[in-house]
Amino acid sequence: MPCGQPDSGAAPARYVLGVDVGSTVVKCHVYDRAAAVRGSSYRKVESLYPRPGWVELDPEVLWSQFIGVIKEAVQAAGLHMRQIAGLGISTQRGTFITWHKRTGKPFHNFISWQDLRSAELVNSWNNSLLLKVIHVIFTVLHFLTGNDRYLAPSFLTFSTHQASMKLSWVFKNIHEAEEAAKKNNCCFGTVDTWLLYRLTNGSVYATDYSNASSTGIFEPFTKCWNPTLCNLLSIPVSIYPPVRDTSFNFGSTDAEIFGVPIPIMAMVADQQSAMFGECCFHPGDVKLTMGTGGFWNVNTGEHLFASRGSLYPLIGWKIGEEVVYLTEGSISDVGTAVKWALDIELFTSVDETAEMAQRTADSQGVCFIPGLQVSGDDPYLCASFMGLKPSTNRNHLVRAILESVAFRNKLLYDIIVKKVHIPLRTIR
């Protein structure tokens, strides 16, 4: 029987779908009550590079991939859509889109968290007199009150990874979005919000705390979109979605999509989702993910921890009255560096890299320096190899790339140990 067609004899709904929309793949797993995977499917995410430094996703292609992996996974599990009790969605963070509230038509493609179009704005703001004044004001407020709410703004710097500056770029460069916002007809959404909007045929517009806190526009201390930051960047506050708990009944999918309505019961940002999935539930638990980039997350419990440079506070998840906070440090290039080496044919399969690296005792003094470092975020820095010699071969280059991942993880670990005043319990 075709997937999604009504079947009065279908078994009771007792399976759940987990869909992850990452930077590299969209994948779906079907879980039974014992949390065993009954069926899976994945498709590669197709990134677009319309200009140097720009990284985009076609929303219609992403939508097609999202629906496709769900249908394929349910079919692979030998199930009917009527047997699906709920859907949970995990998404890449910082990637966003804006669209017209009335028509639902996007004003532009998804702008990826990897996109560098806001680099000039970022540098201009980070070097501005106004930002220095803000630092002084909040430093004084923190000194007088001791309240950590004033600590983060006292060393606020902007990054190309954050949605804030790229959103500011949108309103400076896309006239249709600016005009719609003036008429309260512009919607902003990270990937989760846009998928929810499409799945419910435009009837539900929302995000969760984990995704909101990852945009750089949401104030984790007050748990609200930051009006002061929006005013500074000339971003209308009216464009933002309501923020709900991570575990929440967000409504059901439109019945025409899968043949039956499926409840959407959770939305979560991918790094926070991985943190939860690794059972890092206690203060001092650490999760390390190495995918497109590298992400260290430290559970700080009920306390929001702000640190100068390199680390930033996030909301891990909110479930009912429980709010769990995280401190995060990131490495921009992990999988991207390996993929680049594959694209220029340093090897033909990633499986070869371990053997190539082990063919030589060391990298012969060759170092690979990625473009963005743990200790800073200058979007104009370029990656480079150092220490090249006439005797340097592919094995040395591959070993240097892999070593760079280890070195940067060790650097970030040292920063966490030094700045996070919570004993680390486990690293998963």
Side-chain angles (χ1 to χ4, degrees):
M1 177 172 293
C3 181
Q5 293 300 311
D7 177 14
S8 59
R14 59 181 185 182
Y15 300 90
V16 295
L17 299 175
V19 187
D20 177 56
V21 183
S23 303
T24 309
V25 297
V26 181
K27 52 181 179 276
C28 177
H29 296 310
V30 181
Y31 297 93
D32 62 21
R33 288 184 174 181
V37 176
R38 292 290 300 270
S40 299
S41 178
Y42 79 93
R43 296 187 184 186
K44 291 184 67 175
V45 171
E46 301 295 334
S47 296
L48 306 174
Y49 305 95
R51 298 187 190 179
W54 290 29
V55 186
E56 298 180 351
L57 302 174
D58 185 315
E60 292 305 318
V61 172
L62 190 66
W63 171 250
S64 175
Q65 292 176 323
F66 181 84
I67 299 302
V69 295
I70 290 178
K71 292 181 176 180
E72 290 165 6
V74 172
Q75 187 172 18
L79 300 174
H80 187 276
M81 284 293 181
R82 285 189 178 276
Q83 295 172 264
I84 305 302
L87 166 64
I89 303 172
S90 163
T91 53
Q92 57 177 287
R93 307 171 308 170
T95 298
F96 73 92
I97 194 169
T98 62
W99 66 93
H100 196 283
K101 182 183 294 185
R102 183 170 47 82
T103 66
K105 182 181 178 181
F107 295 116
H108 51 84
N109 284 336
F110 274 106
I111 299 176
S112 170
W113 64 273
Q114 301 165 286
D115 189 281
L116 300 177
R117 73 187 65 195
S118 63
E120 187 175 331
L121 271 175
V122 167
N123 277 2
S124 175
W125 266 100
N126 286 344
N127 294 318
S128 68
L129 177 61
L130 178 56
L131 193 61
K132 291 180 174 61
V133 171
I134 291 171
H135 289 170
V136 171
I137 292 171
F138 282 98
T139 298
V140 172
L141 286 172
H142 179 254
F143 175 79
L144 295 175
T145 65
N147 189 334
D148 275 355
R149 177 184 172 185
Y150 301 121
L151 180 59
S154 71
F155 50 83
L156 170 69
T157 54
F158 293 103
S159 163
T160 56
H161 288 176
Q162 298 167 341
S164 53
M165 276 298 173
K166 290 192 280 275
L167 189 53
S168 179
W169 181 94
V170 165
F171 288 113
K172 290 177 184 296
N173 292 274
I174 301 178
H175 177 70
E176 294 85 354
E178 181 187 21
E179 287 302 306
K182 289 178 181 177
K183 299 175 183 177
N184 198 26
N185 275 327
C186 181
C187 294
F188 161 87
T190 43
V191 176
D192 62 303
T193 303
W194 185 79
L195 287 173
L196 178 66
Y197 189 84
R198 289 290 299 266
L199 286 167
T200 59
N201 197 24
S203 65
V204 182
Y205 178 49
T207 188
D208 93 297
Y209 283 93
S210 66
N211 278 291
S213 74
S214 302
T215 61
I217 316 168
F218 190 81
E219 171 55 69
F221 284 94
T222 60
K223 302 185 189 67
C224 295
W225 297 106
N226 191 325
T228 304
L229 183 60
C230 291
N231 286 333
L232 281 174
L233 301 180
S234 300
I235 301 172
V237 180
S238 63
I239 68 172
Y240 298 112
V243 184
R244 308 300 186 199
D245 284 7
T246 305
S247 178
F248 183 81
N249 187 344
F250 288 93
S252 295
T253 64
D254 187 278
E256 291 188 6
I257 299 174
F258 299 116
V260 293
I262 298 175
I264 303 166
M265 302 305 295
M267 296 200 306
V268 61
D270 57 2
Q271 299 307 320
Q272 288 93 319
S273 172
M275 187 86 173
F276 193 94
E278 290 285 356
C279 300
C280 296
F281 301 139
H282 306 287
D285 285 345
V286 181
K287 181 277 302 176
L288 165 60
T289 297
M290 287 181 285
T292 304
F295 297 89
W296 286 73
N297 295 91
V298 184
N299 185 323
T300 59
E302 299 176 353
H303 304 288
L304 197 56
F305 176 83
S307 169
R308 290 185 179 275
S310 304
L311 306 177
Y312 42 92
L314 292 172
I315 296 175
W317 52 85
K318 183 178 183 298
I319 302 174
E321 296 302 313
E322 179 192 39
V323 182
V324 173
Y325 295 101
L326 311 179
T327 286
E328 181 172 280
S330 65
I331 304 163
S332 298
D333 300 308
V334 176
T336 46
V338 177
K339 185 179 183 302
W340 169 80
L342 175 65
D343 290 344
I344 67 167
E345 300 181 349
L346 283 181
F347 45 83
T348 57
S349 169
V350 176
D351 295 342
E352 301 171 19
T353 58
E355 182 182 349
M356 292 177 70
Q358 290 167 1
R359 285 179 193 159
T360 178
D362 52 42
S363 66
Q364 206 180 71
V366 177
C367 293
F368 176 69
I369 312 299
L372 300 175
Q373 293 299 294
V374 169
S375 56
D377 191 9
D378 183 346
Y380 294 111
L381 289 175
C382 296
S384 64
F385 280 104
M386 298 178 64
L388 300 178
K389 307 172 186 66
S391 58
T392 299
N393 59 38
R394 292 180 183 220
N395 296 338
H396 297 126
L397 298 179
V398 169
R399 180 163 182 136
I401 290 171
L402 299 184
E403 285 182 345
S404 77
V405 176
F407 292 151
R408 284 176 294 146
N409 274 299
K410 175 59 164 62
L411 174 59
L412 193 45
Y413 169 79
D414 289 342
I415 291 172
I416 290 170
V417 170
K418 181 178 179 180
K419 294 191 174 183
V420 179
H421 307 301
I422 298 175
L424 304 186
R425 292 164 44 102
T426 58
I427 298 178
R428 295 190 172 118

